[in-house]
Amino acid sequence: MTDWKKKTVGVVGMGTTGYAAAKFLAERGARVYAYDRRSYDSFSPEERERWDALAGVEKRTGHEKPNALDGVDLVVVSPGVPGNIPPVARQRDKGVAVWSEVELASRHLTASIMAITGTNGKSTTTTLTGKLLEAAGWDTFVGGNLGTPLIEAVGRDDDQLVVELSSYQLEEVEMFRPHVAVLLNISPDHLDRYPSVEAYAAAKARIFSRMLPDDIAIVNGDDPLVKSVIPTVPQVWTWSFEEPVARGAYADAEGLHFNTPAFVFTLKREEIALKGRHNEENVMAAVLAALTAGVTPAVIKEVLAHFRGLPHRVEFVREVHGVRYVDDSKGTNIGAVAAALKGFERPVVLIAGGVDKGGDYSEIDDVIREHVRAVVTIGEAAGRIAKAWGELVPVRKVESMEDAVGHAAQLARSGDTVLLSPGCSSFDMFRDYKERGDRFQEAVRALPE
């Protein structure tokens, strides 16, 4: 294990993850440079409080000089920091190692790691997997991109670590090795950061890069991009809606069927509180992960009877005049919009828009035609969305979330669903997807009966 007292480390990006990494290293005696490209004045109140409380650390903010990290033995980058910014690129070119916080944490952990990635469904699958393990009696850490940095698991006495990972976190791993690695799906996302969808898929596939013969990869057998990066390890379990699988899970009219070395059983849909095809994918992945740890069908059925998902992820808010209002603010890419829309049998008035992430809206034209009555657009991407879908369905551009809900209510008919599924990030108008979803829910609750 590294003797941090002999190391100088630059930690780049002072969000939740960067703060946790800097604190961890400083407490172990490393000389730490905590670096953020933003000025202190641009920090949120919460970030300023963390920054001010960070002890034993040299703090640097507000500039991006290439030599800002000179003298370090290691660079630890936060997920939101591109690895090609000048200070990081300069150190990489000099041969200095660049790690993600996940890589740093993994070198100090001994418990079994279940790692979950994909474009959509990561948080739901990670949370459900954790609940299944906890219900079976395992002491379980649940975190990563979901909220609690993995570095905070160091020193805990957990049996299982369930970790949601983004492509950003996987970019800079070297020795990170999960015992179970789940790849849910890959659809175009973050193309403002990656040069191609293939490069994005390759970042996701790094979750498998250190797997050994006794490790288990759990993958979506229906997704072409996932299939293109399936690892060549002996134990690959798949799930599918298209055909039965020899080892894994598949769905048909009867329900969800599981076939693993230890358990063979079926879950009927009425036994699952979480609804929608996209959620059935999440259920199959989470259950398969839990089965690797010996969780029994009886425990699985008990948990699934009560688990209803996460806030802002296809969350029912209210019904007014026969119109259902659903919050999918966490749907921040085009694939997530398509997955949410496919879960509704009745027509949808879609609220979409925000900061464009470089995807091609026309990729889901068929889904828009089949499921959407009208679109209400907000934010910077409103023009692109109108251009893409304006010939398919009526599109209205508005300036605020309150206006979006009001116009959607006018366009919807009894029996319809009004769905907030932006397909974009939130940072043009809101602090994050949570604030965006909260504003949507407040506007919905303000509608007159």
Side-chain angles (χ1 to χ4, degrees):
M1 190 172 292
T2 303
D3 181 359
W4 292 112
K5 294 179 181 178
K6 299 179 179 179
K7 299 293 183 181
T8 300
V9 185
V11 180
V12 184
M14 281 297 110
T16 303
T17 299
Y19 168 79
K23 182 173 181 290
F24 172 88
L25 291 163
E27 288 174 348
R28 283 154 182 80
R31 182 181 182 186
V32 179
Y33 296 159
Y35 170 73
D36 200 294
R37 294 181 290 171
R38 299 170 298 163
S39 68
Y40 179 82
D41 291 342
S42 69
F43 286 6
S44 70
E46 181 183 29
E47 288 172 328
R48 290 184 193 179
E49 184 178 353
R50 285 200 305 256
W51 181 261
D52 294 342
L54 195 56
V57 169
E58 184 173 333
K59 304 169 185 178
R60 304 176 176 181
T61 64
H63 59 87
E64 198 174 281
K65 294 179 180 178
N67 63 354
L69 297 172
D70 279 4
V72 302
D73 303 303
L74 170 70
V75 176
V76 177
V77 291
S78 296
V81 177
N84 61 355
I85 66 170
V88 176
R90 175 180 169 91
Q91 300 311 309
R92 197 193 303 273
D93 291 344
K94 292 166 62 176
V96 174
V98 179
W99 294 354
S100 66
E101 169 266 342
V102 169
E103 177 68 21
L104 172 65
S106 70
R107 296 183 181 227
H108 294 266
L109 294 167
T110 57
S112 178
I113 297 175
M114 292 185 180
I116 297 166
T117 194
T119 304
N120 299 305
K122 297 186 295 296
S123 296
T124 298
T125 304
T126 301
T127 302
L128 177 55
T129 302
K131 290 189 177 298
L132 292 167
L133 293 170
E134 290 165 358
W138 294 105
D139 290 330
T140 305
F141 170 89
V142 179
N145 191 58
L146 182 67
T148 306
L150 181 58
I151 198 74
E152 295 192 14
V154 177
R156 291 173 42 132
D157 190 23
D158 295 301
D159 303 309
Q160 300 282 348
L161 309 175
V162 185
V163 189
E164 175 187 326
L165 297 178
S166 69
S167 60
Y168 296 173
Q169 291 169 302
L170 289 165
E171 286 176 11
E172 307 293 356
V173 295
E174 292 179 5
M175 305 301 294
F176 173 72
R177 172 189 160 236
H179 173 56
V180 176
V182 180
L183 180 52
L184 294 166
N185 45 61
I186 301 175
S187 60
D189 196 12
H190 301 301
L191 297 184
D192 51 348
R193 175 151 167 167
Y194 296 100
S196 66
V197 69
E198 289 77 17
Y200 171 61
K204 291 288 190 188
R206 290 181 64 80
I207 197 171
F208 304 121
S209 60
R210 286 286 176 175
M211 297 190 80
L212 298 176
D214 61 337
D215 298 328
I216 299 173
I218 300 174
V219 300
N220 184 338
D222 299 336
D223 188 309
L225 281 169
V226 169
K227 289 193 285 187
S228 74
V229 298
I230 288 177
T232 55
V233 295
Q235 298 192 69
V236 178
W237 296 7
T238 61
W239 73 88
S240 176
F241 281 88
E242 298 176 359
E243 58 185 3
V245 300
R247 181 169 294 185
Y250 67 95
D252 62 15
E254 185 181 347
L256 311 184
H257 306 278
F258 295 86
N259 183 12
T260 70
F263 299 103
V264 178
F265 65 101
T266 295
L267 283 170
K268 296 183 178 179
R269 286 181 173 84
E270 56 266 29
E271 297 179 292
I272 305 171
L274 207 55
K275 303 302 181 184
R277 172 174 165 148
H278 62 292
N279 278 322
E280 290 184 0
E281 293 185 6
N282 300 335
V283 167
M284 287 192 283
V287 169
L288 288 174
L291 289 171
T292 69
V295 180
T296 65
V299 170
I300 289 166
K301 290 182 179 183
E302 174 64 23
V303 173
L304 290 177
H306 299 97
F307 181 75
R308 297 186 179 276
L310 301 178
H312 310 301
R313 193 68 183 100
V314 197
E315 178 188 6
F316 172 72
V317 180
R318 185 187 178 200
E319 183 169 326
V320 184
H321 301 304
V323 176
R324 291 170 57 86
Y325 291 81
V326 176
D327 173 7
D328 188 39
S329 183
K330 207 170 188 300
T332 58
N333 58 71
I334 299 164
V337 177
L341 288 171
K342 290 176 182 177
F344 296 99
E345 295 181 358
R346 53 197 205 172
V348 172
V349 176
L350 175 66
I351 299 174
V355 179
D356 186 82
K357 297 170 77 176
D360 183 358
Y361 296 100
S362 66
E363 289 185 358
I364 65 169
D365 281 0
D366 290 344
V367 180
I368 296 296
R369 287 191 190 95
E370 181 177 353
H371 293 276
V372 175
R373 181 184 301 286
V375 177
V376 179
T377 62
I378 58 174
E380 294 176 5
R384 280 202 67 202
I385 294 171
K387 185 177 180 180
W389 296 337
E391 295 184 2
L392 308 179
V393 295
V395 176
R396 287 189 188 178
K397 180 180 182 298
V398 300
E399 299 300 324
S400 70
M401 182 61 74
E402 292 72 21
D403 286 346
V405 170
H407 281 269
Q410 294 171 13
L411 291 165
R413 304 172 188 173
S414 180
D416 288 357
T417 296
V418 170
L419 171 68
L420 169 67
S421 190
C424 300
S425 61
S426 58
F427 306 121
D428 54 344
M429 298 171 65
F430 306 99
R431 182 174 61 251
D432 52 28
Y433 78 87
K434 296 177 183 177
E435 183 184 26
R436 177 170 60 190
D438 289 343
R439 287 276 293 279
F440 171 77
Q441 294 199 21
E442 288 168 6
V444 169
R445 294 192 179 98
L447 291 172
E449 289 289 352

